[in-house]
Amino acid sequence: MLEIFWNNFFNKKKHGELKYIKDCPLFSNLTNKELHFIQKIFHKRIYTTGEIIFKPSSGNGMYIILKGQVNILHGSPDSQEDPSLVSSLKVGDFFAELALLQNEAYQTMFAQSATNSQLLAFYKPDLNLILKRRPLTGIKILNQLCLILSHRLKKAEQKILQVHSTK
């Protein structure tokens, strides 16, 4: 009886995590079979308030927020100067996806847990494993990654144009 309880408990937790993975635009075009495959590859990470998730030039994967809040900051956590807030992210948000493609992708930014947080991590070696074992699934993920990055680049370009047009 106790074994059934624990199996149901962990299955519910896994089902909840699967929802966050499926809702993430990076994985939203995958089939249920593909989602169940990649869910096994994700890593659950727990951070306390103020803990650094990645430092500048050190990130090697992306994260989905299950619980808590994460701040993306410009600067260095080791600096005497206060870093500036770039973005405050909440449950369901994802970040650091560029690190799946490029080593040291975030040269001047870092991520810090603003509250006690639970994250799902998906690292570059995980993507490489998917590309090796299930190439079509990997191509779907890379395609979505390209779309997301081009959308973010377009938004950044618009902000730059707004700044220059007000001068």
Side-chain angles (χ1 to χ4, degrees):
M1 186 75 157
L2 186 60
E3 184 178 332
I4 293 169
F5 167 78
W6 284 113
N7 285 339
N8 286 337
F9 175 77
F10 286 113
N11 284 336
K12 284 181 184 176
K13 282 183 123 6
K14 286 288 185 190
H15 179 71
E17 291 174 8
L18 186 61
K19 179 196 176 318
Y20 286 103
I21 296 169
K22 187 176 185 174
D23 289 347
C24 178
L26 194 58
F27 309 106
S28 63
N29 66 335
L30 300 182
T31 66
N32 283 336
K33 186 177 179 181
E34 290 169 325
L35 286 166
H36 284 286
F37 172 73
I38 68 162
Q39 179 185 17
K40 296 172 189 169
I41 296 172
F42 271 82
H43 310 271
K44 193 169 194 176
R45 299 288 183 248
I46 297 173
Y47 296 91
T48 58
T49 302
E51 192 172 352
I52 303 300
I53 298 163
F54 69 82
K55 291 183 176 187
S57 301
S58 70
N60 69 340
M62 57 93 56
Y63 302 87
I64 301 171
I65 303 172
L66 295 177
K67 292 183 182 175
Q69 185 177 342
V70 172
N71 289 333
I72 306 299
L73 301 145
H74 180 266
S76 171
D78 304 324
S79 174
Q80 298 293 345
E81 294 180 30
D82 286 336
S84 57
L85 181 67
V86 173
S87 184
S88 187
L89 306 171
K90 62 187 182 334
V91 171
D93 288 338
F94 67 101
F95 61 97
E97 64 282 353
L98 184 58
L100 293 172
L101 296 177
Q102 182 182 358
N103 293 334
E104 300 179 6
Y106 301 97
Q107 298 286 318
T108 60
M109 290 192 280
F110 66 98
Q112 183 176 38
S113 187
T115 62
N116 290 340
S117 301
Q118 288 184 11
L119 310 177
L120 285 177
F122 183 73
Y123 299 113
K124 190 174 184 175
D126 301 327
L127 178 59
N128 292 335
L129 177 70
I130 291 170
L131 286 164
K132 184 176 181 178
R133 289 193 183 166
R134 298 206 179 169
L136 294 177
T137 302
I139 289 169
K140 284 181 172 181
I141 293 169
L142 286 174
N143 185 54
Q144 287 299 106
L145 184 56
C146 288
L147 292 172
I148 291 164
L149 293 174
S150 73
H151 175 74
R152 292 192 179 185
L153 180 60
K154 224 177 220 181
K155 283 176 65 176
E157 191 176 63
Q158 289 170 349
K159 285 184 181 182
I160 291 169
L161 290 173
Q162 284 177 342
V163 168
H164 286 297
S165 68
T166 58
K167 287 185 177 183

